[in-house]
């Protein structure tokens, strides 16, 4: 075989190999298992179901209607996704132990900040992707929210709420945008619950953290989900903002270690468990994202829905007054002071209507 023919054959083989790789890894997403629900019709190479990003509610309703079981499959970019509907589907989504919310966030946020132990530098993305860390993350979070840690932090959370609401009440216009004011309030709650008091108590540092958080959240565009392999500018922004968050928390840990002063918060709990700084900071960043993305938005929507529905607004007010009467019967004390005396057990279990409002707000989004 002459050299020219050999060169042409080699070039053709390389071209076919490249084309096969592009088709397998870029144009064609991972295959669904044989028992997966029917694939939606609106699925295209490379982008998957574009309506998932542009008209999500209509897309879900159409896919559910076309499926015999109500369940359906589709691609969000290159990610295979199974949509579930009905009582059993909701139960699987909420309760199944095989599902990892951390990995779900990482995919649909286009990758969340990840700390890797290499000189304690923030290197990549994808929050808590490994199964081992997911187990660690879940264990620590459950212990914080169900154990004595939340109970100890309740007085400070109530003080935060009181200060923020007093500030809103003092506004001369009597108006507020809950997607700003309530969102910021929830961010402070989340910071105090899963991170540290130093940042929650410092408005300037708290504001910087929220700014970095919003930078990371804002880079979760359809492009970053559909094309996670592209070197987009959003990846640089995300990594930079994540690194700045990392350094803020690392300074707090270093200051405690240097001074020997103990905190009484979630970060100190992690330190007391003997966790290394990499796991601690990855946990804090992951917990902030998991908490704020849900609670910050839905808390604002709850108030908006109640403001537009007088019947349920009155029912919720009655529930709040009823709980206050049970735990602080002295009606001569202002309600905002009586609420400060409600124990954590009551906050967790004696507001069924508020809980229903939150769940319905989640359902309506």
């Amino acid at each position: 075989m002459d050299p020219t023919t050999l060169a042409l054959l080699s070039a053709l083989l390389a071209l076919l190999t490249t084309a096969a790789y592009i088709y397998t890894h870029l144009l064609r997403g991972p295959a669904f298992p044989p028992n997966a629900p029917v694939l939606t019709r609106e699925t295209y190479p490379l982008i998957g179901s574009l309506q998932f990003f542009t008209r999500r509610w209509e897309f879900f309703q159409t896919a559910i209607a076309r499926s015999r079981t109500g369940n359906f499959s589709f691609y969000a970019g290159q990610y295979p996704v199974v949509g579930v509907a009905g009582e059993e589907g909701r139960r699987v989504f909420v309760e199944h132990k095989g599902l990892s919310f951390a990995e779900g966030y990482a995919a649909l946020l286009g990758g969340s900040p990840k700390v890797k132990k290499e000189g304690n530098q923030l290197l990549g993305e994808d929050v808590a992707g490994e199964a081992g860390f997911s187990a660690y993350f879940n264990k620590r979070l459950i212990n914080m929210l169900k154990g004595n840690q939340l109970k100890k932090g309740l007085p400070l959370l109530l003080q935060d709420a009181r200060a923020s609401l007093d500030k809103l009440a003092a506004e001369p216009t009597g108006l507020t945008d809950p997607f700003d004011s309530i969102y910021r309030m929830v961010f402070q709650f989340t910071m105090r619950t899963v991170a540290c008091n130093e940042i929650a108590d410092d408005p300037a540092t708290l504001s910087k953290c929220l700014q970095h958080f919003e930078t990371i959240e804002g880079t979760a565009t359809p492009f970053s989900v559909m094309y996670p392999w592209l070197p987009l500018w959003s990846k640089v922004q995300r990594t930079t903002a994540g690194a700045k968050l990392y350094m803020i928390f690392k300074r707090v840990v270093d200051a405690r270690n240097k001074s020997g002063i103990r905190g009484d918060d979630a970060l100190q709990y992690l330190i007391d468990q003997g966790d290394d700084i990499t796991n601690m900071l990855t946990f804090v960043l992951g917990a902030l994202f998991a908490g704020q993305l849900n609670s910050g938005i839905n808390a604002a929507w709850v108030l908006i829905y109640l403001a537009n529905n007088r019947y349920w607004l009155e029912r919720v007010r009655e529930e709040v007054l009823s709980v206050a009467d049970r735990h602080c019967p002295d009606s001569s004390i202002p309600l905002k002071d009586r609420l400060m005396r409600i124990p954590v057990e009551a906050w967790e279990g004696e507001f069924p209507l508020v809980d229903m409002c939150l769940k319905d707000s989640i359902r309506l989004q």
Side-chain angles (χ1 to χ4, degrees), residues 220-271:
T221 64
F223 267 96
S224 65
V225 175
M226 290 188 290
Y227 314 119
W229 38 268
L230 283 179
L232 300 172
W233 173 243
S234 61
K235 287 184 175 290
V236 177
Q237 293 177 299
R238 181 186 301 271
T239 302
T240 301
K244 290 178 179 178
L245 276 174
Y246 172 87
M247 293 309 299
I248 289 174
F249 287 109
K250 187 175 184 300
R251 282 194 290 270
V252 174
V253 175
D254 290 344
R256 289 190 185 183
N257 290 335
K258 183 177 180 179
S259 66
I261 298 176
R262 291 175 51 82
D264 190 12
D265 50 26
L267 185 61
Q268 188 63 51
Y269 168 77
L270 297 176
I271 294 173

Side-chain angles (χ1 to χ4, degrees), residues 263-283:
D264 190 12
D265 50 26
L267 185 61
Q268 188 63 51
Y269 168 77
L270 297 176
I271 294 173
D272 292 345
Q273 300 306 306
D275 298 345
D276 62 59
I277 189 170
T278 302
N279 280 344
M280 284 192 292
L281 297 182
T282 307
F283 172 88

Side-chain angles (χ1 to χ4, degrees), residues 183-216:
Y183 188 84
R184 289 177 178 274
M185 190 187 308
V186 171
F187 188 73
Q188 185 183 28
F189 296 164
T190 308
M191 181 67 71
R192 196 177 295 283
T193 302
V194 301
C196 58
N197 291 331
E198 288 94 330
I199 296 177
D201 290 334
D202 183 352
T205 306
L206 186 67
S207 181
K208 285 182 181 178
C209 287
L210 181 57
Q211 180 182 348
H212 299 323
F213 176 91
E214 290 177 333
T215 296
I216 295 170

Side-chain angles (χ1 to χ4, degrees), residues 75-150:
Y75 285 97
Q78 299 304 292
Y79 293 106
V81 183
V82 173
V84 294
E87 193 72 28
E88 181 61 26
R90 286 193 291 272
R91 186 178 298 109
V92 170
F93 180 81
V94 174
E95 299 177 3
H96 199 285
K97 302 298 183 183
L99 299 177
S100 169
F101 72 86
E103 293 181 20
Y105 276 122
L108 296 181
L109 280 174
S112 298
K114 180 181 181 180
V115 179
K116 285 189 177 180
K117 195 169 186 179
E118 186 172 305
N120 283 335
Q121 295 298 310
L122 186 72
L123 300 179
E125 300 177 7
D126 177 36
V127 63
E130 292 84 358
F133 185 83
S134 291
Y136 159 83
F137 183 94
N138 293 336
K139 180 180 179 181
R140 290 288 184 260
L141 188 61
I142 290 172
N143 288 341
M144 285 182 184
L145 298 181
K146 295 298 183 181
N148 196 44
Q149 193 64 39
L150 184 60

